[in-house]
Amino acid sequence: MAANATHRFLKKISYKTLNPAFSSPHLTKIGKIPISQNPRNYTSINVTSGGRSGALSSPPPPPVNEISERIDINPPKGTRDFPPEEMRLRNWLFQNFREVSRLFGFEEIDFPVLESEALFIRKAGEEIRDQLYSFEDRGGRRVALRPELTPSLARLVIQKGKSSPLPFKWFAIGQCWRYERMTRGRRREHYQWNMDIIGAPGVAAEAELISSMVTFFKRLGITSVDVGFKVSSRKVLQEVLQSYSIPENLFGKVCITIDKLEKIPIDEIKRDLKLVGMTEEAIEELLQVLSVKSLSKLEEILGSSGDAIAELKQLFSLADKFGYSDWIQFDASVIRGLAYYTGIVFEGFDRKGKLRAICGGGRYDRLMSTYGGDDVPACGFGFGDAVIMELLKEKGLVPELSPTVENIVCALDQELQGAASLVATKLREKGQSVDLVLENKPMKWVFKRAEKINAGRLILIGKNEWEKGLVRVKNLANFEQSDVELDKLE
């Protein structure tokens, strides 16, 4: 009875009466009847046999044309898509990162892209909060997309504890997120190659890290004429500050200010240093020291008794042995803004001065205790993907990477599609790449497709050949062709 009553009720309802926008008679097949005059905010009566008769459902999505008007098809500002041609370049770059790391005996690691927000604030201070992509998850925890990899590395080292013998020689290639002003080579999302040595206190570790980056540049065709490394030590700054009795707890703030030397006017640098608590005399001497570009000149100012001079001399001696002396130069102004560096620091730069720092790193022996672990000697570097690609474009060194497929397999008749699938499967089982033509296409189209994907062979499945257990193989390099037995197809 109830079903018949519902049927009689529906026959009396006109779609045009309820909503002119839903006047098509085909809508009776959809199973929902709008009962509001507002197409953006209506409920409906569900009359399908699969659901409860008369149940209310949630509003359907707005029409497709409304959705397309509201959605921006570009990626979020500061991020990138990687269509095939860009993905080929990214894979090529990452393969070079990995190959250099392998050559130097490093093992690959990775971490979550999402970490505890406190992990980054603990290292960099509250000021980084404005640069984080952070939020509260459904469990009430404050989390953030990682802006860099080193804090995650420190967490993992502490987690491993003493279960593995030192040193660790680890590398990672990870996606990082930082909300900041964008410039050439700086995006809000980028990938970063990190190499770190944990548990080696000597300068030889820094020397090897710089050697690995030089090796990478050489692989890509970049020379010491194009790129150099500025080298200094945080201990230089420490010695100057100690001579003026500047409290150690202000060291990090001074470093952040000094790191802006080439970015803001010198008067602003002096003003910020005064706000930190430095006297005018201390500021002038500090700026004088930071202008030094010669290790011998620095030794005249600081003397030779401190660790800074001894370690820098050793680094330059090792650079000569590694064979990259022409790549490095002393520059006392290189401080690196991150507060956790404790010794030698270095920065890769474009000698023409058109780009921001290409890479950078140094020693951070006291980072682990920041997170409650035992301090371990450590040093490493970070190398972003965006700036190096800008440099490669500048030098005309970006390779042309076309797609390559070993075979393209095509059935000459639709009824032979199954046979073509069998051939493709056999070749794939032998480790060969195959692009299988999935539709009945003319040969002109097939040849164009083969050219586009740089296929090495075209394998045709024809009725007469297939009945004899054969396939026709065309070598697309020299256009020689032959009929080959299926079992002998290699």
Side-chain angles (χ1 to χ4, degrees), residues 350-420:
D350 163 31
R351 290 196 187 271
K352 287 188 176 180
K354 294 183 178 180
L355 301 168
R356 58 185 291 268
I358 302 169
C359 50
R363 179 159 291 277
Y364 53 94
D365 287 349
R366 293 197 292 270
L367 180 61
M368 306 306 162
S369 60
T370 304
Y371 298 110
D374 296 330
D375 278 330
V376 181
C379 59
F381 69 76
F383 195 123
D385 70 318
V387 181
I388 184 61
M389 288 307 300
E390 291 291 331
L391 180 63
L392 291 172
K393 291 174 186 176
E394 187 88 18
K395 303 294 180 184
L397 294 173
V398 177
E400 291 187 12
L401 303 172
S402 302
T404 55
V405 175
E406 291 169 285
N407 306 280
I408 181 168
V409 174
C410 177
L412 296 178
D413 194 306
Q414 188 62 39
E415 65 185 31
L416 292 172
Q417 189 64 48

Side-chain angles (χ1 to χ4, degrees), residues 14 49 72 88 103 141 201 217 220 259 276 301 359 404 425:
S14 165
S49 59
D72 185 353
R88 288 194 292 271
L103 290 173
R141 295 168 288 262
F217 284 127
L220 271 57
D259 193 46
V276 169
I301 298 173
C359 50
T404 55
T425 299

Side-chain angles (χ1 to χ4, degrees), residues 236 239 295-314:
V236 171
E239 290 181 18
L295 193 53
S296 59
K297 178 65 175 177
L298 181 70
E299 189 172 7
E300 289 178 15
I301 298 173
L302 297 181
S304 57
S305 59
D307 290 340
I309 298 296
E311 290 176 356
L312 286 165
K313 282 184 173 180
Q314 186 181 0

